[in-house]
Amino acid sequence: MASPMRSLLTNPDRYLRSFRLFLEKSTEHQSMREFMERQLPDVIASIGNGKSTINVLSIGGGAGEMDLLILSKVQARYPGVPINNEVIEPSADQISKYKERVAQTSNLGKVKFTWHEETADEYESRMTAEKKSKKWDFIHMIQMLYYVKDIPATVRYFHSLLESQAKLLIILVSGKSGWETLWKKYGSSFPLNDLCSYVSSGDFPKILDSAGLKYQLYELPSHLDITSCFIEGDKDGELLLDFLTETLEFSKTAPPELKRQLTGELRKPGCSENRDGKVLFNNNLCAIVIEP
């Protein structure tokens, strides 16, 4: 009998709702912000040396929260230098939120924004078809490599677009996170199809070493409050379970035994810790900075 479980990505509206709830219930953006405040200034210290314009490419820029923080750090390092910021983002909804955010942010006078409603794969295909290979001073791919067809090829392609002093920043879930435990154990039970694949920082040394790339890894501590996942019928809990498993209506469509095992796993130390009466899922991230 065919499984009734379907990928969460087949319903973009529910995916976005679950993603926004995840951001609200997790310290994801807080932990990225700490990295941007503490480590990013050193990472970008020489990307614009001698440049009349700094070119930044955001792959999967979402609603722009992290993009604008990155741009503020580039501006602080290179005051008054114009920045050309191009954004690749497949969701029209996210792009419109990004544009609203830009409209409400001051100090962006020297930044030119261009949005492309497309995936990273589509961008690469379009550039190849147009025989273009524009070079960039900074490229960042934050939490988006799960949605490309061929991860090593995508990393090699965007790395090939770096200028001589540029950097490529990748942020994704850590190999030491609860995601690693959950997906290594149960990933094969989830209806991933070709829309999404599981990858963590644990997979990256092999990918980067085999491509002969130089890189640095930074571990970013983060957690997600999943207490509501254990309350039967809780709407937030159901949305978070969808997000954790990338499954549409997981609570309603997963076989009862899978649901029982998975919710049991989520409570274990490999995934989460109990703190002040809450179940906090280990949402640690890893930032990978790749040299040109």
Side-chain angles (χ1 to χ4, degrees), residues 154-175:
T154 299
V155 171
R156 283 196 304 272
Y157 171 71
F158 285 103
H159 178 266
S160 76
L161 306 182
L162 293 178
E163 289 278 22
S164 60
Q165 302 176 99
K167 295 282 191 288
L168 169 59
L169 169 67
I170 293 170
I171 298 181
L172 76 171
V173 298
S174 164

Side-chain angles (χ1 to χ4, degrees), residues 15-71:
Y15 170 76
L16 268 182
R17 278 195 299 140
S18 73
F19 174 58
R20 287 182 182 142
L21 179 65
F22 160 76
L23 289 180
E24 187 191 312
K25 295 283 183 189
S26 74
T27 60
E28 169 108 348
H29 276 178
Q30 189 186 320
S31 89
M32 286 187 202
R33 273 194 289 272
E34 282 176 16
F35 171 79
M36 306 297 179
E37 296 292 345
R38 292 174 189 168
Q39 276 94 12
L40 190 67
D42 285 343
V43 169
I44 61 169
S46 59
I47 61 165
N49 289 2
K51 299 272 175 179
S52 56
T53 301
I54 296 171
N55 293 304
V56 177
L57 181 62
S58 162
I59 314 286
E65 299 98 326
M66 292 301 120
D67 286 26
L68 294 192
L69 182 53
I70 289 169
L71 290 171

Side-chain angles (χ1 to χ4, degrees), residues 90 115 118 146 179 187 204 222 271 276:
W115 288 272
E118 62 190 351
Y146 321 106
W179 294 97
F204 260 73
S222 174
C271 278
D276 304 326

Side-chain angles (χ1 to χ4, degrees), residues 36-190:
M36 306 297 179
E37 296 292 345
R38 292 174 189 168
Q39 276 94 12
L40 190 67
D42 285 343
V43 169
I44 61 169
S46 59
I47 61 165
N49 289 2
K51 299 272 175 179
S52 56
T53 301
I54 296 171
N55 293 304
V56 177
L57 181 62
S58 162
I59 314 286
E65 299 98 326
M66 292 301 120
D67 286 26
L68 294 192
L69 182 53
I70 289 169
L71 290 171
S72 74
K73 297 302 171 196
V74 177
Q75 285 177 306
R77 174 67 186 87
Y78 295 101
V81 178
I83 298 170
N84 168 43
N85 185 69
E86 291 199 27
V87 182
I88 312 300
E89 169 54 55
S91 163
D93 189 55
Q94 290 284 70
I95 288 176
S96 101
K97 289 207 163 35
Y98 194 139
K99 289 178 176 175
E100 281 168 32
R101 185 169 264 112
V102 168
Q104 293 160 8
T105 306
S106 55
N107 310 326
L108 292 173
K110 289 270 191 179
V111 185
K112 175 178 176 264
F113 288 89
T114 313
W115 288 272
H116 304 279
E117 190 184 318
E118 62 190 351
T119 65
D121 291 329
E122 286 163 352
Y123 174 85
E124 182 178 345
S125 302
R126 182 167 64 84
M127 289 295 119
T128 306
E130 294 172 10
K131 297 194 164 38
K132 287 181 182 164
S133 62
K134 183 172 167 56
K135 296 281 186 175
W136 301 89
D137 301 305
F138 190 59
I139 300 176
H140 55 90
M141 314 170 99
I142 297 177
Q143 289 288 48
M144 55 67 62
L145 278 172
Y146 321 106
Y147 310 111
V148 302
K149 291 188 181 78
D150 181 334
I151 293 163
T154 299
V155 171
R156 283 196 304 272
Y157 171 71
F158 285 103
H159 178 266
S160 76
L161 306 182
L162 293 178
E163 289 278 22
S164 60
Q165 302 176 99
K167 295 282 191 288
L168 169 59
L169 169 67
I170 293 170
I171 298 181
L172 76 171
V173 298
S174 164
K176 301 183 175 86
S177 69
W179 294 97
E180 186 81 349
T181 310
L182 191 67
W183 280 78
K184 287 282 190 276
K185 197 159 185 180
Y186 293 100
S188 59
S189 306
F190 304 149

